Amino acid sequence: MQAMTRTELTDLVDTFLDGPSPLPIVSAGDPVLRRPALSYEGQLGEARLERLVRVMRETMHAAPGVGLAAPQVGIPLRLAVIEDPAEVSDEVRDARGRVPQPFRVLVNPSYEPLGDGRAAFFEGCLSVPGWQAVVVRHARVRLCGQDERGRELDEEFSGWPARIVQHETDHLGGTLYLDRAETRSLSSTEHAVARWSQPTPALAAAELGFTLPTS
């Protein structure tokens, strides 16, 4: 795919910003989800970027979700937003390490694992509606990048926040969670809620026939 010029990119973004909000979410099968996104180098300018971030946040809330990457709304930029109120039971919080995360903007993010710990849980995606699957991810990661003001980010995440960071950053490289999923765990959301809503996927592993990591 030929790289977009600054004008082409701003025209594309303006098309979305001038349309309805929340934005429509791109579903799996659209090439924009499978191509590495462009690094953000100030192409949009401060005001346009601020508007895009605001609309992406509205779209994430409306979905609802805890993260949204720009390619998921058809914009091939290394930009994502995350936010998680983590309104879950104490049992789920303790098992999954799911704690509230404030609203954050991730610009040109990248992550690296910290330690050898791995965690496996059911995961879904706004671009793959109606399905969930178990994904083994790094339990702790270091995230680097910038925020919407260009300030450097260098933070450690663990538990569920680490999962969100990995999921959204993967989107920017053209990777969907299904690429990393245990395929035997693939379940409709209906079955995931009715059968596999336990804090951990141990029962699903036993019933569906897949192996969970030991650490």
Side-chain angles (χ1 to χ4, degrees):
M1 179 186 68
Q2 186 175 4
M4 299 182 80
T5 66
R6 181 183 293 257
T7 298
E8 290 171 335
L9 181 61
T10 55
D11 286 348
L12 176 65
V13 171
D14 285 344
T15 297
F16 286 109
L17 294 179
D18 292 339
S21 179
L23 300 174
I25 295 177
V26 173
S27 60
D30 191 310
V32 72
L33 295 174
R34 290 309 199 173
R35 294 168 176 158
L38 303 170
S39 294
Y40 183 70
E41 299 174 356
Q43 298 98 315
L44 302 183
E46 185 175 333
R48 188 181 280 109
L49 176 62
E50 183 177 336
R51 287 183 62 202
L52 176 58
V53 166
R54 184 170 62 251
V55 173
M56 286 179 62
R57 187 182 191 187
E58 292 171 359
T59 302
M60 175 179 64
H61 287 170
V66 297
L68 184 71
Q72 291 183 274
V73 292
I75 298 172
L77 274 178
R78 292 190 62 81
L79 170 70
V81 295
I82 65 173
E83 185 175 13
D84 185 11
E87 296 172 342
V88 297
S89 68
D90 290 346
E91 187 180 18
V92 169
R93 181 199 63 208
D94 293 342
R96 303 180 187 176
R98 187 167 181 180
V99 294
Q101 286 298 296
F103 178 70
R104 299 170 182 264
V105 180
L106 310 180
V107 178
N108 299 325
S110 63
Y111 67 82
E112 61 182 32
L114 295 174
D116 298 326
R118 310 278 278 180
F121 293 105
F122 273 98
E123 196 169 310
C125 179
L126 299 178
S127 291
V128 190
W131 298 93
Q132 296 184 31
V134 171
V135 183
V136 179
R137 292 196 183 271
H138 304 293
R140 295 175 56 239
V141 296
R142 176 186 180 189
L143 176 76
C144 295
Q146 298 85 43
D147 67 9
E148 70 274 28
R149 303 296 183 190
R151 295 171 294 205
E152 292 298 316
L153 298 177
D154 188 345
E155 298 184 48
E156 293 184 13
F157 291 81
S158 61
W160 204 261
R163 181 168 296 268
I164 296 172
V165 162
Q166 291 171 80
H167 181 114
E168 298 308 328
T169 302
D170 281 356
H171 269 302
L172 307 180
T175 296
L176 295 177
Y177 87 99
L178 290 175
D179 300 327
R180 303 187 185 277
E182 168 53 65
T183 55
R184 290 187 68 93
S185 73
L186 185 64
S187 303
S188 68
T189 297
E190 178 183 4
H191 279 301
V193 171
R195 295 173 180 267
W196 317 128
S197 59
Q198 300 85 8
T200 76
L203 180 61
E207 295 290 334
L208 298 178
F210 61 91
T211 302
L212 295 174
T214 57
S215 61

